[in-house]
Amino acid sequence: GAGVSQSPRYKVAKRGQDVALRCDPISGHVSLFWYQQALGQGPEFLTYFQNEAQLDKSGLPSDRFFAERPEGSVSTLKIQRTQQEDSAVYLCASSLIETQYFGPGTRLLVL
Amino acid sequence: GQQLNQSPQSMFIQEGEDVSMNCTSSSIFNTWLWYKQDPGEGPVLLIALYKAGELTSNGRLTAQFGITRKDSFLNISASIPSDVGIYFCAGHLTSNDYKLSFGAGTTVTVRA
């Protein structure tokens, strides 16, 4: 069956540019997570949705980061006025009950 | 930052060897999970542990949830080339905690 998909897989942005990263979770999965993975590190939690409700955004590093899941399925992570320190892999995960299934990630490079 | 400390940071394996890695924390964790990440892919769950002292196997992989709830180890027996990758420990701090905390990973490479 289809797993979690993310697009684009790679994104190069100029500093100051806005970017939007998309996540298509596994069909029927209620919970959706975004994580940020810096080079050589483990993923770090950004935000969590249960259906369309964003229940936790405590991990978002600044107010330039915004996530939405308006219909409780596809989610978009938007980063405004990108900075070099935003360069990382952004991972999306979805779950039905407990096990989180990860997508391949979007590798963002800010120049 | 990472609450989970993984060691070793990297290791070289020879095909057929048994390998072991571990993860410790100053905090008590409710669950421990071990993931593997291949280049360009997301982490894939290998083993999940839910009770202190639990020992669980998945094929050539064996993992244990420490009695103190502050540590876990992962063993790979009779390693094969496709075992190369980055292994992460992860956990939930409480039973109500939905987000995962990850270690920094152990990179496994085949020794030439």
Side-chain angles (χ1 to χ4, degrees):
Chain A
V4 178
S5 59
Q6 293 186 244
S7 61
R9 291 293 310 273
Y10 302 91
K11 176 70 179 177
V12 179
K14 291 184 180 177
R15 193 173 52 166
Q17 190 178 349
D18 296 349
V19 298
L21 313 180
R22 178 187 167 109
C23 172
D24 284 82
I26 295 172
S27 178
H29 278 195
V30 169
S31 299
L32 186 145
F33 305 80
W34 285 97
Y35 292 84
Q36 181 190 57
Q37 186 175 21
L39 189 65
Q41 298 296 316
E44 295 216 9
F45 170 79
L46 292 177
T47 187
Y48 161 60
F49 289 86
Q50 191 172 87
N51 295 305
E52 68 278 4
Q54 188 175 21
L55 299 186
D56 187 343
K57 52 182 181 179
S58 63
L60 297 177
S62 77
D63 58 8
R64 296 185 295 103
F65 286 70
F66 172 77
E68 60 184 3
R69 194 186 185 197
E71 297 177 0
S73 178
V74 171
S75 177
T76 303
L77 176 67
K78 297 179 180 177
I79 309 173
Q80 297 177 321
R81 304 181 304 281
T82 53
Q83 303 293 314
Q84 284 186 320
E85 62 263 28
D86 299 336
S87 296
V89 175
Y90 290 86
L91 294 163
C92 175
S94 70
S95 72
L96 183 59
I97 301 174
E98 202 164 313
T99 301
Q100 294 185 28
Y101 298 89
F102 284 82
T106 294
R107 191 173 301 272
L108 173 66
L109 177 63
V110 182
L111 301 176
Chain B
Q2 253 91 40
Q3 299 186 52
L4 302 178
N5 303 304
Q6 282 191 248
S7 64
Q9 189 175 8
S10 62
M11 63 190 335
F12 291 88
I13 62 170
Q14 199 140 30
E15 190 171 351
E17 278 183 342
D18 294 348
V19 300
S20 183
M21 60 194 78
N22 64 39
C23 193
T24 60
S25 174
S26 57
S27 302
I28 291 173
F29 275 77
N30 189 64
T31 60
W32 283 88
L33 307 165
W34 285 93
Y35 282 85
K36 179 174 182 269
Q37 187 174 29
D38 291 328
E41 300 297 326
V44 173
L45 182 65
L46 299 174
I47 290 182
L49 302 158
Y50 299 102
K51 296 180 186 176
E54 181 181 351
L55 183 71
T56 297
S57 293
N58 178 9
R60 294 178 297 105
L61 306 177
T62 302
Q64 185 158 30
F65 192 149
I67 292 290
T68 64
R69 307 185 75 94
K70 292 184 177 181
D71 64 310
S72 176
F73 71 75
L74 174 71
N75 287 341
I76 306 172
S77 63
S79 56
I80 60 178
S82 61
D83 289 335
V84 302
I86 305 176
Y87 292 78
F88 291 100
C89 63
H92 293 102
L93 276 167
T94 69
S95 60
N96 295 324
D97 192 15
Y98 38 78
K99 59 180 181 267
L100 286 171
S101 299
F102 281 84
T106 292
T107 301
V108 175
T109 312
V110 173
R111 183 184 294 135

